[in-house]
Amino acid sequence: MKAKISLVTLGTSDFARAFAFYRDGLGFEPHNYTEGEDFCMFKMEGTWLALFPRAELAADAGVEDDGRPPSGFALAHNVGSPAEVDAVFAQAVAAGAKPQKPPQKTFWGGYAGYFADPDGCLWEVAHNPFTDLT
């Protein structure tokens, strides 16, 4: 298997709310989306992000939808400076994200904060002064 993630699909309990958060709040551009559909892909650098109703995603994967947000992983968005971390974090919160951990210096020498999207999916916004992940 090639060490690559092509697509990350987030199961959402309210597709319209999640779509508005990512499109309008964070400025992600939908790809081939038709108004009224309940699936959307956003083209990003290096990978894609998709939204799909949570129950349908669980059914497609053959697993039970327990209704809980995932907490065993976080998506990460790296930026070029601590000031950019603060700006992206503020943008997400203004768009409806729930702040989980405000941006601050990290134990590993960087600067990062966490927010949860409307469905509770964790996002880390980080500046890594040692490795350019921007």
Side-chain angles (χ1 to χ4, degrees):
M1 180 173 168
K2 185 188 278 188
K4 174 184 175 184
I5 296 175
S6 304
L7 177 70
V8 173
T9 303
L10 302 178
T12 179
S13 61
D14 183 334
F15 179 84
R17 177 187 67 188
F19 181 75
F21 174 77
Y22 284 100
R23 182 190 64 186
D24 305 330
L26 298 185
F28 292 4
E29 290 290 327
H31 176 75
N32 289 340
Y33 174 73
T34 302
E35 197 67 37
E37 292 180 339
D38 64 358
F39 176 78
C40 177
M41 291 175 31
F42 299 98
K43 186 174 184 178
M44 306 174 84
E45 290 184 27
T47 192
W48 292 67
L49 179 71
L51 302 176
F52 194 45
R54 182 183 189 107
E56 292 180 48
L57 179 60
D60 187 47
V63 299
E64 182 181 340
D65 178 9
D66 63 11
R68 295 181 301 170
S71 62
F73 73 94
L75 301 169
H77 177 74
N78 283 65
V79 294
S81 70
E84 289 177 82
V85 170
D86 292 337
V88 170
F89 189 86
Q91 178 185 6
V93 171
K98 180 180 178 186
Q100 297 295 317
K101 181 179 180 183
Q104 56 194 263
K105 290 182 179 180
T106 66
F107 69 91
W108 49 267
Y111 185 80
Y114 284 87
F115 66 83
D117 78 358
D119 284 288
C121 294
L122 290 174
W123 280 83
E124 177 189 32
V125 183
H127 167 64
N128 183 331
F130 310 109
T131 304
D132 184 8
L133 299 171
T134 62

